[in-house]
Amino acid sequence: MKKYVMLAISAAILNICVVNTSVANTPNLIIAQDETPEAEILLDKAIEAEAAGNQDALLSSLTAGTAALEKEAKADKGSFKDKLLSQVGTLQKFAPMVKSGLLKGDMLKKVINTVKMLLAAKRIESALGGSNLLGNISGLTKNLGLMKAGLPALGGESQNKLGGLLNTAISSVGNLSKGGMTAKAAEPAVKKQLGGILDFVKTAI
């Protein structure tokens, strides 16, 4: 009888070990737990919280978004690093203003829109540094859209001009997804258009 009890206990222990090992060796679970939202998502939540008058949520989202932005900026080796870190400094000054109730929505939106444009520019610059653009079509489309979302930070003629450049580039990037000779023929033009956009952002911000 004791022999059967000991066998049952051993089997149970072995089963637990197998389950634990399986969980530990499942990378998707670990990635899901450690995944951090992108800076622009957190900062958009700060805008939503400010509009709703939720000071606690505003401060929390602003702090998390600023930290995420700083982390991404410091890891960058491109030409937009200093501009991004400058925006980090501005956002950090907003925290005490939130606590005192002095932070205005328009002020917050302008800086966050600027951040969106610079983040998009940084990521596009990184993509241009790769061997080809065909493997990064979704990323290019996403970041051109992100830059377009930040256009109100410029205003006036600069906003209109960059908006036109972005519309052209978005259409051209769409040709990359067609594959074959169409994509290969479109790639040089897309690179030139993206380069022009980056040059524009460098001088406008």
Side-chain angles (χ1 to χ4, degrees):
M1 184 69 176
K2 289 182 179 180
K3 181 178 179 181
Y4 291 123
V5 172
M6 291 302 295
L7 286 172
I9 293 172
S10 298
I13 293 173
L14 179 60
N15 199 23
I16 291 171
C17 290
V18 169
V19 170
N20 286 340
T21 301
S22 176
V23 171
N25 289 329
T26 306
N28 289 337
L29 292 176
I30 298 172
I31 291 171
Q33 292 171 350
D34 294 342
E35 195 173 76
T36 303
E38 293 174 311
E40 63 269 24
I41 295 174
L42 294 165
L43 292 173
D44 269 341
K45 289 182 178 180
I47 292 177
E48 293 171 4
E50 191 281 330
N54 189 334
Q55 192 179 75
D56 290 339
L58 169 57
L59 186 58
S60 175
S61 297
L62 181 61
T63 302
T66 302
L69 175 63
E70 183 175 22
K71 182 179 179 180
E72 183 170 350
K74 285 184 174 179
D76 185 44
K77 297 180 181 179
S79 55
F80 292 94
K81 180 174 184 174
D82 290 342
K83 291 181 182 292
L84 282 166
L85 289 175
S86 176
Q87 298 305 313
V88 168
T90 301
L91 289 170
Q92 288 172 337
K93 294 175 183 177
F94 283 171
M97 295 175 68
V98 172
K99 296 174 183 177
S100 61
L102 295 176
L103 182 61
K104 305 301 180 183
D106 289 344
M107 187 188 310
L108 180 65
K109 287 178 183 177
K110 182 173 177 62
V111 174
I112 291 177
N113 281 333
T114 301
V115 165
K116 287 178 179 179
M117 295 182 67
L118 290 173
L119 275 175
K122 178 200 82 72
R123 294 167 185 168
I124 291 170
E125 183 181 56
S126 178
L128 284 174
S131 58
N132 65 75
L133 301 180
L134 300 180
N136 200 14
I137 297 171
S138 61
L140 289 172
T141 303
K142 176 182 177 181
N143 285 298
L144 287 170
L146 178 62
M147 187 178 290
K148 195 171 182 179
L151 280 176
L154 295 179
E157 185 59 31
S158 293
Q159 178 176 344
N160 293 334
K161 186 172 181 179
L162 183 55
L165 293 175
L166 288 170
N167 287 336
T168 300
I170 290 170
S171 177
S172 296
V173 168
N175 289 328
L176 295 179
S177 63
K178 295 178 180 179
M181 295 303 296
T182 300
K184 289 182 179 180
E187 188 172 12
V190 171
K191 286 184 176 180
K192 185 176 180 180
Q193 289 166 7
L194 294 177
I197 288 171
L198 297 184
D199 289 340
F200 190 97
V201 173
K202 288 174 186 176
T203 57
I205 299 178

